[in-house]
C-alpha cells in the first residue's frame, strides 16, 4: 500500500490546497468535472487530485502568456519506457510501525 494514493478521501484536501493557492474552484455537473481559475488561467479535470496536478504543471512552467501547448514537455519521452517496478526503497510507513 502506498503512503498516499488518488482516492476520494483525498479530494477535499486537494480542493483546499487549490483554494489556498488563490484559485476559485467549482464543479460542473453536466460535464462531471472539477474546475479552477486564477488570473484568467483556467483548468478542468475529472478529479480534484487531477486538477491539483494540472495546477502543479502550470506553476512549474510559469507561463507569462497563453500559447498553444504551453504546458508540453516532449523530450525525453518516457511514457513508454517507464520501469515496471521501482528501485529498492524503504517506505516511511515501514518505519512508522
Amino acid at each position: 500500500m502506498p503512503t498516499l494514493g488518488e482516492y476520494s478521501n483525498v479530494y477535499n484536501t486537494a480542493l483546499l490546497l487549490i483554494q489556498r493557492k488563490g484559485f476559485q474552484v467549482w464543479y460542473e455537473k453536466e460535464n462531471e468535472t472539477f474546475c479552477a481559475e486564477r488570473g484568467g488561467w483556467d483548468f478542468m479535470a475529472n478529479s480534484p487530485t487531477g486538477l491539483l496536478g494540472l495546477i502543479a504543471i502550470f506553476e512549474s512552467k510559469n507561463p507569462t502568456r497563453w500559447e498553444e501547448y504551453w504546458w508540453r514537455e516532449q523530450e525525453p519521452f518516457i511514457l513508454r519506457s517507464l520501469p515496471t517496478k521501482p528501485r529498492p526503497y524503504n517506505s516511511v510507513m515501514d518505519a512508522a510501525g
Side-chain angles (χ1 to χ4, degrees):
M1 172 182 280
T3 54
L4 183 62
E6 183 178 14
Y7 195 69
S8 60
N9 65 355
V10 180
Y11 286 2
N12 193 62
T13 300
L15 292 169
L16 289 172
L17 290 172
I18 293 167
Q19 284 183 332
R20 288 179 194 155
K21 292 174 173 288
F23 289 84
Q24 65 166 320
V25 182
W26 68 97
Y27 179 73
E28 288 190 0
K29 279 188 174 185
E30 58 277 356
N31 298 330
E32 297 182 351
T33 55
F34 295 86
C35 306
E37 180 276 336
R38 183 181 75 191
W41 292 89
D42 50 346
F43 307 93
M44 178 183 290
N46 294 325
S47 71
T49 49
L51 189 60
L52 185 57
L54 294 175
I55 289 169
I57 292 170
F58 168 72
E59 291 178 335
S60 176
K61 298 295 287 185
N62 195 25
T64 56
R65 64 181 177 81
W66 184 90
E67 61 183 63
E68 195 169 5
Y69 301 114
W70 62 265
W71 45 266
R72 188 176 281 180
E73 295 278 338
Q74 296 192 90
E75 298 295 330
F77 188 77
I78 64 170
L79 183 61
R80 292 192 184 105
S81 62
L82 287 175
T84 57
K85 294 184 179 185
R87 293 184 308 273
Y89 68 96
N90 297 316
S91 174
V92 297
M93 286 179 32
D94 295 338

